[in-house]
Amino acid sequence: ASRSTVGGLFTAVARRFPAREAVVCEDRCRTYAELDERVNRLCAVLSAQGLGRGDRLGLLARNCIEYLEVELAAAKLGVITAALNWRLRQREMDHCVALAEPVLMVVEPQYEAIIAAGPGAERPRLVIGPAYEQALEDAPSYEPDAAVHPEDGMLIIYTSGTTGLPKGALISHRAMISRTLIFASETTAPRDANYLAWTPLFHMGASDFSHASLMRGGTVFVVDGYQPEKLAG
């Protein structure tokens, strides 16, 4: 247990419950086996871009299945995902990118302009959409052989910056697993409990519980923001 990592626990769940739904968003669904395969393919894509243990990856996207794919692939490689807040102004975004010094930026098309206008402009970009899907299709799906330590960083979550510019809080694999155990203990939620992720995935609220669910065999229902009809359904 002391050697567990987020990527390792997710892989174990995927092998145990391959046919179970892992993530659902709109009319798209990924079983654990399907999600794990795509995550492994993305690991190969990231490795080909030169990312390895301790490197940072900048992620700028709204709530979507790909968001969790990127975080899980990075976790399997020991890469740290800097979860960028799409609500930030240009100066704040530039500051957050400069803090993380990402080797690669993964962005949705609508946010390319803000990255192109700042310090992330010169960094390689992987755009979610056709280019992302083609990259995964061309990549192998084998499990990555990466030496990841529980104390390695997994996520950088940024503070709100109420007293100045945002600050990056580094969350380790061990911390994320501990949060999962505390969540399970305090709520007595069943091991395969589902989670509705509608608050931004760049925030610890949706991020923590999404990964907690995926490490415990539950289904994450991803909704992009507060949409009453979808939440009620």
Side-chain angles (χ1 to χ4, degrees):
S2 64
R3 296 191 298 271
S4 294
T5 63
V6 171
L9 290 174
F10 167 72
T11 300
V13 171
R15 290 175 177 173
R16 187 176 180 186
F17 306 112
R20 183 176 293 177
E21 292 182 343
V23 186
V24 177
C25 183
E26 300 286 351
D27 59 348
R28 296 191 299 157
C29 173
R30 303 268 189 266
T31 65
Y32 270 92
E34 291 168 341
L35 181 61
D36 192 42
E37 178 182 342
R38 285 176 61 85
V39 167
N40 287 343
R41 289 181 183 274
L42 185 54
C43 285
V45 173
L46 300 181
S47 295
Q49 290 282 349
L51 279 89
R53 182 183 177 192
D55 288 330
R56 275 79 61 204
L57 174 155
L59 177 56
L60 183 56
R62 297 183 70 93
N63 287 12
C64 58
I65 291 178
E66 290 81 3
Y67 204 107
L68 295 172
E69 289 176 350
V70 171
E71 289 187 329
L72 287 168
K76 283 195 178 191
L77 294 174
V79 171
I80 302 167
T81 300
L84 297 164
N85 181 348
W86 41 262
R87 291 172 172 157
L88 297 180
R89 295 178 180 272
Q90 187 72 53
R91 185 173 79 96
E92 297 167 318
M93 182 66 71
D94 293 350
H95 169 76
C96 291
V97 172
L99 276 180
E101 296 183 328
V103 175
L104 174 74
M105 299 294 300
V106 180
V107 301
E108 282 190 313
Q110 65 265 39
Y111 300 121
E112 281 195 275
I114 193 171
I115 295 301
E122 75 281 3
R123 304 181 192 280
R125 288 199 291 276
L126 178 59
V127 181
I128 294 174
Y132 178 95
E133 293 300 325
Q134 188 61 58
L136 263 62
E137 185 177 335
D138 295 340
S141 61
Y142 55 78
E143 187 72 30
D145 182 17
V148 184
H149 191 275
E151 293 297 340
D152 288 345
M154 179 201 165
L155 281 176
I156 295 175
I157 301 290
Y158 292 92
T159 66
S160 60
T162 49
T163 58
L165 290 169
K167 301 173 180 64
L170 180 61
I171 311 299
S172 69
H173 286 256
R174 192 188 300 279
M176 185 62 75
I177 293 168
S178 295
R179 292 176 187 217
T180 297
L181 294 173
I182 292 169
F183 149 73
S185 174
E186 290 185 345
T187 65
T188 65
R191 181 180 179 86
D192 57 353
N194 301 330
Y195 176 65
L196 182 58
W198 67 270
T199 58
L201 281 167
F202 64 69
H203 188 269
M204 63 181 291
S207 179
D208 277 19
F209 293 116
S210 292
H211 288 293
S213 298
L214 292 172
M215 285 189 284
R216 301 175 76 239
T219 302
V220 179
F221 292 87
V222 179
V223 178
D224 185 20
Y226 182 65
Q227 303 181 52
E229 298 81 5
K230 292 181 180 179
L231 296 177

